[in-house]
Amino acid sequence: MGIGRSAGVALALVVASCQPDGRQQRDTDWASARAAMVRDQLRGRDIANPRVLDAMARVPRHLFVPGAVRADAYGDFPLPIGDGQTISQPYIVGFMSQALELEPHHRVLEIGTGSGYQAAILAELAKEVYTIEIVAALSDRARQTFAGLGYKNVHVKTGNGYLGWPEHAPYDRVIVTAAPDAVPPALVEQLRIGGLMAIPVGTLDQELRILRRTDRGLETLRTLPVKFVPMVGKPK
């Protein structure tokens, strides 16, 4: 469980226990939808890492999407979150999280906070998450969501993701949730030797790449064809 979440989860349980039966029923419905998502969309495919499955069974995805699409929060597809951005399909979140081989001591850099859902999953799996979002309205909203859920190990910055967050480098893992046309050099430089990066690359045709930084350069594993929103911003 992410650092600092215990108090928030305990408070949520106390509040839920004090609500009328209707509220408890809605919470039960969300839990059922989340369990079905994990069973059918993740475990039913090739997501087998128990820590990833547990994290995605815990994090309330419906709280990271706008009210207008909340009923579809656990569907097998991406959803709009405003400002031309989307929250990724649950399977893609699970796939990228599993591919990073996260350990509890890891420090992670995420480019593209968006709704904050992927960062919350990372916060359940790693020690610290540093996440950057270029759209101020989205980063502000994500901060509020993290605070409401009690995440203390997620640090949000509004800025240009192409530049990374050098003040806290090096990172054990880097994840990019928007597609550049090439791997940004600054992100490679901020990745620890031996570290992994998950990144979609391309314009019209995109592929999800898993990169490992070695002392000889990058090792690349090409995985899935994907469709992410374009990465916004450029190196200065």
Side-chain angles (χ1 to χ4, degrees):
M1 178 173 288
I3 292 174
R5 287 207 63 226
S6 299
V9 171
L11 176 60
L13 290 173
V14 170
V15 171
S17 69
C18 297
Q19 299 298 323
D21 290 343
R23 167 62 185 275
Q24 293 185 41
Q25 181 61 46
R26 288 198 297 275
D27 289 345
T28 300
D29 291 344
W30 289 127
S32 297
R34 193 157 54 249
M37 175 193 75
V38 171
R39 181 187 68 241
D40 300 334
Q41 301 176 39
L42 306 179
R43 189 178 286 112
R45 293 174 179 166
D46 55 359
I47 309 304
N49 184 304
R51 296 187 67 235
V52 171
L53 292 171
D54 287 348
M56 295 191 70
R58 284 195 299 268
V59 176
R61 181 177 167 92
H62 60 281
L63 298 182
F64 290 88
V65 302
V69 295
R70 188 157 291 173
D72 293 324
Y74 295 99
D76 190 17
F77 38 76
L79 290 169
I81 58 171
D83 295 281
Q85 304 300 303
T86 61
I87 181 174
S88 293
Q89 173 189 11
Y91 174 76
I92 294 297
V93 174
F95 186 94
M96 294 178 78
S97 300
Q98 178 170 269
L100 287 175
E101 301 176 6
L102 289 155
E103 299 291 344
H105 64 278
H106 282 161
R107 299 168 67 253
V108 183
L109 173 65
E110 180 192 38
I111 307 301
T113 311
S115 70
Y117 178 67
Q118 174 71 81
I121 298 297
L122 298 172
E124 296 280 343
L125 300 168
K127 181 177 181 179
E128 301 288 341
V129 179
Y130 298 86
T131 181
I132 303 174
E133 173 57 57
I134 198 168
V135 180
L138 292 179
S139 60
D140 290 345
R141 194 181 311 152
R143 284 190 189 94
Q144 293 174 8
T145 306
F146 296 140
L149 290 173
Y151 285 102
K152 298 184 183 298
N153 61 331
V154 182
H155 314 282
V156 184
K157 176 181 180 180
T158 304
N160 183 354
Y162 275 92
L163 306 180
W165 201 338
E167 294 87 343
H168 301 287
Y171 301 96
D172 300 291
R173 300 290 187 264
V174 174
I175 183 171
V176 183
T177 62
D181 54 12
V183 178
L187 303 185
V188 176
E189 293 170 3
Q190 292 171 36
L191 180 63
R192 188 184 303 278
I193 298 294
L196 294 173
M197 179 188 304
I199 180 170
V201 179
T203 51
L204 294 178
D205 296 318
Q206 299 174 8
E207 63 178 4
L208 180 61
R209 299 180 186 176
I210 308 302
L211 312 176
R212 184 182 296 276
R213 187 181 183 193
T214 73
D215 53 9
R216 300 177 303 280
L218 290 175
E219 297 175 351
T220 302
L221 172 65
R222 291 178 165 84
T223 62
L224 305 174
V226 291
K227 189 64 176 177
F228 281 78
V229 296
M231 188 168 168
V232 179
K234 289 292 183 182
K236 292 181 180 179

